[in-house]
């Protein structure tokens, strides 16, 4: 179809041609006939932006909604979306250079552009995205096609010279290309496998059969090699052996029993990268008379993934469940591309993939690799800390089965949630669709209970199957990654099981997944489901879903503690017990630290009278100034707080120590008291003393002054002006998260590029209408020329909560309102 753009409205046409913007007065309703021919209207939507660039989209159909959404996202984030399209098409090496760096900040994967191209060419194939295309509801297809047209419309305007000064990072680059409908489904697949296949970009892209004799490492050899490096468990290794992904989140569902007014409240706060396409984008969508939803989505997905309306509100946190299992393949000694299955050797599936690659001189060449798949999924290798844990030898190889690569219900889950008519329907859809890929869910609604569910896509691998299907490397996994299955790929009975209530084969059904409804509160802060509410522990689930009766992270303990203290009044906040919007907002941004509350007094009492401590290099460290500052510190990472950076660098050294008593804590963990144990830091341990000395020395050796306030040290790492950012690191027991990755003190600053991202606090008024406030902490746009590049970040820095206007009267009354009228017609 040859679409041509028709921009209507004499009163606003000049401005529309310059960027489809109009002032607050005209909505283009006086538009004359199109200037250029065409007789069928394909897309028609109204797009309004309120303060801080929040889009409010109204359309009669999902295609038109997607059209306005794609246009708005292109206007705000064209270059970032264009680079992501380049990535999922496998064209990074062609345009950005073969040796360039490729990272997925949200799962820790890093490799070269060339390897990234081979991975995505092998993963996001036409066959791989076809189930998403055919299995998704019609609304998904309509919104996706509309998004493509809207994005491409903005790109066409840019190429015609409109939007001067915008998107300078890419507007003249050859890799800025129109997108296609298949690009949308490739992006959906990329998001689906974020916590699974794409963790192993390099291992899948480079896995090759041995050209010479490659011996198989025994479990003992692997464990000995890790022990020589000081690694006794998975905590010092990357995901999946350190079970926590680099992304995280906090969320609360607060029902009548936890509320001052008796009305429910919801708090949601993903901790996602401030860079790349795992940023979140806030929008308000209205489709016809039956669908209205407001909230945030990851870039390129024309729906709301975390949000609210008059019926319910919800949020997500990254779940502790694994989304994949490894299989160990027994190879034919005469042919390492054949593996044993049910007594016979079968061929691996081989795919020859050719990638264009640009070298340092700009010359292009073709690089071809043959990559292999088993019946379970791709072959891969995996190395941790330089130790080859999963290796392709002459006798063994390893492959991956990814439940979310098979998840054709992903889009249906969110689109159906966006159209749900009640809290009860929202909860029912969670289990009946079962398309949520890798996140816990908390929800509530006006006058409704608080709901939690980890009803997600989890391989159906009960503990009994793991025990029955052990392999040579099972002892490694038992120690480093309890719950992560490594199964015998030679046996059909080691295939994933099926549940009668599951919507697809190979995944657990809702009856075997944890959920909870309560009349007071539920939470999740990235530990497993076990103590969603400590008064009602959830137990008896398969280890692949999560751990039970194990110590919680300091951040999770902080999450639970501050609710408990608010409800019993021991947190020192004024007024009656229970939550309202004001004290909830104060609490979630207060930047206090559980580690400080547990240990500061004992640390200072034990060490400060000594004056010096020995560092890990055996040299004395003068701690006197650090002690003076820490004695006056207010215990938070607020902008005016002085001393918190000293505590952070100390605790950075404490955090990796084993949690077991008495190495770190003198009071051991008690499963009956997960909120308050373990406790009492062992300040007499040489390891803790050295950690303090090394933390002080790190500050002394940096440009940071001991007496510097956090607001002068910790700033946004994205913006061209120094915007101070409050908050701490999860390992410190912070609830309010601001993180700099990798940590580097050489410039005297913490440059925040990860942490609190989209924040929403939601309740409902007496008429049942939602009242919501929050932030997109890094702002809506990645284009420095946009008016929405840093405005929300500046508001966030000042803790100036932003109202999310939902009702039409609120939207139209916004003094910064900007209206668009977007129409695209089919040409003759």
């Amino acid at each position: 179809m040859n679409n041509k753009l028709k921009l209507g409205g004499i009163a606003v046409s000049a401005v529309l041609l310059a960027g489809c913007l109009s002032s607050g007065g005209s909505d283009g309703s006086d538009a004359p006939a199109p200037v250029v021919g065409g007789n069928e209207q394909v897309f028609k939507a109204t797009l309004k932006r309120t303060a801080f660039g929040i889009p409010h989209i109204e359309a009669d159909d999902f295609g038109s909604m997607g059209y306005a959404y794609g246009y708005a996202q292109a206007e705000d984030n064209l270059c970032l979306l264009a680079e992501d399209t380049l990535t999922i098409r496998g064209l990074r090496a062609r345009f950005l250079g073969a040796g360039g760096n490729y990272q997925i900040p949200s799962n820790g994967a890093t490799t070269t552009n060339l390897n990234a191209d081979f991975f995505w060419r092998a993963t996001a194939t036409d066959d791989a995205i076809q189930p998403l295309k055919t299995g998704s509801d019609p609304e998904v297809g309509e919104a996706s096609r509309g998004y493509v047209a809207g994005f491409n419309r903005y790109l066409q305007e840019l190429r015609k010279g409109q939007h001067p000064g915008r998107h300078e990072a890419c507007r003249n680059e050859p890799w800025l290309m129109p997108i296609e409908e298949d690009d949308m489904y490739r992006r959906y697949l990329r998001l689906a496998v974020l916590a699974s296949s794409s963790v192993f970009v390099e291992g899948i892209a480079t896995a090759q059969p041995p050209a010479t004799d490659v011996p198989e490492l025994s479990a003992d050899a692997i464990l000995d090699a890790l022990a020589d490096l000081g690694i006794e468990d998975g905590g010092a290794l990357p995901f999946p052996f350190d079970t926590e992904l680099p992304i995280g989140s906090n969320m609360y569902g607060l029902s009548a029993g936890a509320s001052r007014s008796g009305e429910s409240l919801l708090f949601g706060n993903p901790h996602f990268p401030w860079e790349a396409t795992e940023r979140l984008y806030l929008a308000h969508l209205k489709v016809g008379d039956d669908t209205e939803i407001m909230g945030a989505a990851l870039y390129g997905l024309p729906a709301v993934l975390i949000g609210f309306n008059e019926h319910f509100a919800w949020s997500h946190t990254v779940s502790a469940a694994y989304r994949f299992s490894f299989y160990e393949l027994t190879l034919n000694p005469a042919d390492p591309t054949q593996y044993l299955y049910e007594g016979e050797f079968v061929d691996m599936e081989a795919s020859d993939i050719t990638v264009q690659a640009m070298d340092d001189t700009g010359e292009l060449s073709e690089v071809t690799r043959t990559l292999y798949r088993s019946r379970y999924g791709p072959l891969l290798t995996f190395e941790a800390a330089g130790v080859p844990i999963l290796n392709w030898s002459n006798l063994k190889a390893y492959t991956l089965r990814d439940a979310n690569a098979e998840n054709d219900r992903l889009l249906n889950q969110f689109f159906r949630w966006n159209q749900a008519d009640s809290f009860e329907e929202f909860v029912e859809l969670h289990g009946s669709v079962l398309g949520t890929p890798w996140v816990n869910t908390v929800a509530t609604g006006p006058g409704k209970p608080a709901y939690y569910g980890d009803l997600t896509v989890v391989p159906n691998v009960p503990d009994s199957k793991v025990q029955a299907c052990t392999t040579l490397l099972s002892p490694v996994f038992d120690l480093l990654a309890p719950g992560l299955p490594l199964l015998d790929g030679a046996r059909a009975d080691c295939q994933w099981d099926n549940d009668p209530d599951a919507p697809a084969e190979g995944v657990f059904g809702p009856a075997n997944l944890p959920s909870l409804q309560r009349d007071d509160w539920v939470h999740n802060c990235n530990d497993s489901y076990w103590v969603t509410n400590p008064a009602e522990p959830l137990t008896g689930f398969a280890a692949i879903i999560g751990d039970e009766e194990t110590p919680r992270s300091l951040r999770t303990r902080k999450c639970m503690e501050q609710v408990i203290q608010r409800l019993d009044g021991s947190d020192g906040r004024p007024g009656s017990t229970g939550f309202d919007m004001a004290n909830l907002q104060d609490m979630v941004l207060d930047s206090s630290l559980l580690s400080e509350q547990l240990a500061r007094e004992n640390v200072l009492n034990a060490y400060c009278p000594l004056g010096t401590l020995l560092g890990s290099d055996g040299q004395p460290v003068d701690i006197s100034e650090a002690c003076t500052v820490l004695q006056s510190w207010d215990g938070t990472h607020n902008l005016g707080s002085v001393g918190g950076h000293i505590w952070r660098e100390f605790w950075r050294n404490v955090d990796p120590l084993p949690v077991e008593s008495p190495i770190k804590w003198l009071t051991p963990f008690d499963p009956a008291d997960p909120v308050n144990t373990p406790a009492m830091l062992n300040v007499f341990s040489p390891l803790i003393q050295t950690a303090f000395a090394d933390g002080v020395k790190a500050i002394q050796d940096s440009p940071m002054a001991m007496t510097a306030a956090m607001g002068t040290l910790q700033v946004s790492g994205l913006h061209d002006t120094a915007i101070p950012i409050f908050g701490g690191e999860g390992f410190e027991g912070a609830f309010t998260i601001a993180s700099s990755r990798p940590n580097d003190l050489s410039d005297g600053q913490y440059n925040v590029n990860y942490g609190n991202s989209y924040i929403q606090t939601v309740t409902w008024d007496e008429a049942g209408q939602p009242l919501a406030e929050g932030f997109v902490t890094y702002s809506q746009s990645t284009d420095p020329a946009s008016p929405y590049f840093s405005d929300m970040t500046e508001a966030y820095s000042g803790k100036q909560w932003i109202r999310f206007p939902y009702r039409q009267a609120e939207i139209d009354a916004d003094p910064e309102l900007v209206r668009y009228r977007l129409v695209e017609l089919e040409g003759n």
Side-chain angles (χ1 to χ4, degrees):
M1 180 171 67
N2 178 23
N3 285 349
K4 295 185 178 181
L5 307 179
K6 314 297 186 293
L7 306 176
I10 292 175
V12 296
S13 61
V15 184
L16 283 168
L17 289 168
C20 291
L21 296 176
S22 72
S23 64
S26 173
D27 64 1
S29 58
D30 55 346
V35 176
V36 183
N39 52 25
E40 181 184 345
Q41 184 167 284
V42 179
F43 302 114
K44 178 183 179 182
T46 298
L47 166 60
K48 301 177 181 180
R49 285 190 188 266
T50 50
F52 302 99
I54 301 172
H56 303 264
I57 294 169
E58 188 168 354
D60 290 336
D61 57 80
F62 279 87
S64 295
M65 180 276 290
Y67 180 70
Y69 199 111
Y71 186 94
Q73 283 211 341
E75 183 176 39
D76 288 339
N77 300 291
L78 180 73
C79 295
L80 191 152
L81 288 163
E83 184 178 340
D84 191 57
T85 301
L86 197 72
T87 298
I88 57 179
R89 288 182 179 180
L91 295 173
R92 294 185 66 88
R94 163 68 179 83
F95 289 100
L96 304 179
N101 187 49
Y102 173 67
Q103 292 181 312
I104 307 176
S106 49
N107 67 22
T110 181
T111 189
T112 64
N113 287 335
L114 184 64
N115 288 340
D117 286 349
F118 278 109
F119 173 81
W120 289 115
R121 292 279 186 94
T123 301
T125 62
D126 291 345
D127 287 344
I129 64 173
Q130 190 59 39
L132 272 175
K133 294 175 70 173
T134 58
S136 293
D137 293 341
E139 294 88 346
V140 177
E142 293 168 15
S144 301
R145 287 188 290 275
Y147 187 101
V148 168
F151 180 98
N152 289 342
R153 168 179 174 165
Y154 184 84
L155 176 58
Q156 184 174 346
E157 292 174 3
L158 194 77
R159 287 180 167 169
K160 289 180 176 178
Q162 297 178 38
H163 315 294
R166 297 297 303 273
H167 314 292
E168 292 294 342
C170 69
R171 67 181 295 149
N172 297 315
E173 293 294 335
W175 47 266
L176 179 59
M177 298 175 282
I179 62 173
E180 301 171 356
E181 188 176 346
D182 279 359
D183 293 324
M184 300 295 290
Y185 289 93
R186 292 187 188 100
R187 181 173 288 115
Y188 303 153
L189 178 66
R190 184 180 68 73
L191 296 174
V193 301
L194 195 65
S196 44
S197 293
S198 69
V199 172
F200 309 102
V201 169
E202 182 157 342
I204 291 173
T206 62
Q208 294 291 294
T212 58
D213 277 350
V214 176
E216 179 71 15
L217 286 181
S218 68
D220 287 343
I222 292 172
L223 294 174
D224 288 346
L226 292 172
D228 289 343
L229 296 170
I231 299 170
E232 303 292 343
D233 58 37
L237 296 175
F239 184 85
F241 293 105
D242 178 2
T243 56
E244 186 172 332
L245 282 161
I247 46 180
S249 307
N250 297 333
M251 62 182 177
Y252 292 130
L254 305 167
S255 191
S259 168
R260 280 182 171 177
S261 67
E263 186 54 88
S264 299
L265 301 99
L266 183 126
F267 166 74
N269 177 205
H271 305 151
F272 267 50
W274 286 25
E275 303 170 292
T277 49
E278 274 65 72
R279 285 169 53 114
L280 288 142
Y281 188 81
L282 171 63
H284 179 193
L285 312 176
K286 189 174 189 301
V287 183
D289 295 327
D290 299 324
T291 299
E292 186 168 13
I293 201 79
M294 188 171 188
L298 297 171
Y299 284 13
L301 206 160
V304 169
L305 306 187
I306 294 174
F308 60 90
N309 62 16
E310 65 270 31
H311 304 300
F312 50 80
W314 82 100
S315 193
H316 297 301
T317 61
V318 177
S319 163
Y322 287 108
R323 310 296 157 183
F324 58 92
S325 73
F326 294 120
Y327 279 91
E328 182 177 279
L329 304 180
T330 299
L331 303 182
N332 182 347
D335 184 351
T337 64
Q338 291 185 331
Y339 62 97
L340 191 67
Y341 187 73
E342 287 297 287
E344 296 183 0
F345 286 112
V346 295
D347 291 328
M348 297 175 186
E349 177 186 335
S351 297
D352 294 329
I353 300 173
T354 299
V355 169
Q356 281 195 315
M358 181 173 63
D359 63 20
D360 293 341
T361 69
E363 292 294 318
L364 289 176
S365 62
E366 289 189 343
V367 182
T368 299
R369 291 180 190 169
T370 302
L371 299 181
Y372 295 86
R373 294 180 63 87
S374 70
R375 68 181 60 244
Y376 306 104
L379 273 287
L380 80 160
T381 59
F382 185 73
E383 183 178 282
V387 178
I389 294 179
L390 301 179
N391 201 26
W392 194 338
S393 71
N394 294 87
L395 298 178
K396 298 288 182 180
Y398 297 87
T399 187
L400 173 83
R401 183 176 177 188
D402 184 341
N404 272 318
E406 305 171 15
N407 177 11
D408 62 359
R409 304 170 307 284
L410 167 68
L411 285 310
N412 293 346
Q413 185 76 72
F414 293 101
F415 274 79
R416 291 184 193 179
W417 268 345
N418 287 186
Q419 299 172 78
D421 291 330
S422 67
F423 167 81
E424 290 77 12
E425 184 181 2
F426 180 95
V427 172
E428 189 278 328
L429 286 168
H430 197 195
S432 62
V433 179
L434 202 68
T436 311
W438 36 261
V439 287
N440 302 285
T441 301
V442 158
T444 189
K448 301 300 181 180
Y451 166 77
Y452 162 84
D454 191 355
L455 305 189
T456 49
V457 178
V458 185
N460 195 328
V461 185
D463 297 349
S464 57
K465 184 174 290 286
V466 176
Q467 295 162 5
C469 293
T470 57
T471 72
L472 291 175
L473 294 190
S474 290
V476 175
F477 281 66
D478 291 343
L479 181 65
L480 298 182
L484 175 57
L486 173 61
L487 307 174
D488 184 353
R491 296 162 45 190
D493 62 351
C494 293
Q495 293 269 15
W496 297 350
D497 287 350
N498 299 312
D499 277 354
D501 62 337
E505 293 184 352
V507 297
F508 284 117
N512 283 320
L513 295 168
S515 64
L516 181 66
Q517 285 196 47
R518 290 184 60 89
D519 292 327
D520 51 2
W521 64 279
V522 295
H523 93 289
N524 187 269
C525 293
N526 296 121
D527 275 312
S528 75
Y529 52 82
W530 171 47
V531 281
T532 292
N533 184 303
E536 191 175 354
L538 298 170
T539 59
F541 297 94
I544 191 175
I545 304 171
D547 54 341
E548 301 171 5
E549 299 189 338
T550 57
R552 306 292 90 177
S553 71
L554 287 182
R555 177 161 58 87
T556 289
R557 290 172 61 186
K558 177 74 168 170
C559 287
M560 295 187 287
E561 178 191 82
Q562 58 193 14
V563 175
I564 292 167
Q565 292 179 348
R566 176 81 298 270
L567 297 183
D568 66 19
S570 62
D571 63 356
R573 288 184 166 82
S576 60
T577 60
F579 283 93
D580 56 27
M581 282 281 274
N583 63 33
L584 175 61
Q585 290 177 348
D586 177 68
M587 184 183 77
V588 299
L589 297 187
D590 77 357
S591 300
S592 58
L593 309 171
L594 185 58
S595 63
E596 180 273 335
Q597 295 161 3
L598 291 174
R600 178 167 57 143
E601 184 177 357
N602 288 343
V603 166
L604 297 185
N605 289 342
Y607 300 157
C608 292
L610 303 176
T612 61
L613 290 175
L614 292 182
S616 56
D617 61 1
Q619 298 301 308
V621 177
D622 184 348
I623 62 171
S624 54
E625 184 184 10
C627 283
T628 299
V629 174
L630 287 174
Q631 284 165 345
S632 300
W633 175 41
D634 69 2
T636 77
H637 285 324
N638 283 309
L639 299 184
S641 300
V642 175
H645 60 305
I646 305 170
W647 188 263
R648 174 180 294 172
E649 296 312 314
F650 160 48
W651 209 265
R652 193 184 303 278
N653 301 323
V654 173
D655 181 61
L657 298 176
V659 73
E660 290 82 8
S661 177
I663 297 173
K664 185 184 295 186
W665 304 102
L666 293 176
T667 301
F669 168 70
D670 180 357
D673 189 9
V675 179
N676 299 303
T677 62
M680 194 174 293
L681 187 69
N682 185 2
V683 294
F684 301 107
S685 164
L687 295 174
I688 304 295
Q689 293 179 22
T690 298
F692 189 80
D694 286 351
V696 172
K697 187 69 162 54
I699 301 297
Q700 292 173 344
D701 290 345
S702 79
M704 292 179 169
M706 290 284 179
T707 56
M710 185 56 71
T712 67
L713 299 175
Q714 187 163 268
V715 300
S716 168
L718 303 187
H719 298 96
D720 46 11
T721 57
I723 304 173
I725 303 295
F726 53 84
E729 298 269 14
F731 67 76
E732 303 174 89
F735 183 91
T736 311
I737 302 299
S739 183
S740 306
R741 299 183 177 180
N743 180 60
D744 181 4
L745 308 184
S746 62
D747 66 352
Q749 288 189 322
Y750 297 111
N751 297 298
V752 176
N753 58 4
Y754 168 89
N756 284 7
S757 52
Y758 171 67
I759 299 176
Q760 65 176 23
T761 52
V762 185
T763 189
W764 291 265
D765 64 17
E766 293 179 355
Q769 288 298 306
L771 303 173
E773 295 180 349
F775 305 94
V776 177
T777 59
Y778 33 67
S779 302
Q780 288 277 80
S781 177
T782 50
D783 179 14
S786 168
Y788 311 124
F789 176 63
S790 61
D791 53 347
M792 273 209 207
T793 311
E794 291 164 354
Y796 177 68
S797 176
K799 298 188 182 180
Q800 299 166 352
W801 286 82
I802 296 167
R803 184 66 172 266
F804 295 165
Y806 186 82
R807 285 171 287 191
Q808 196 63 49
E810 276 188 288
I811 295 167
D812 290 339
D814 190 308
E816 298 184 38
L817 182 67
V818 176
R819 290 180 172 93
Y820 303 55
R821 184 173 181 270
L822 300 175
V823 179
E824 183 158 329
L825 306 179
E826 183 178 7
N828 293 325

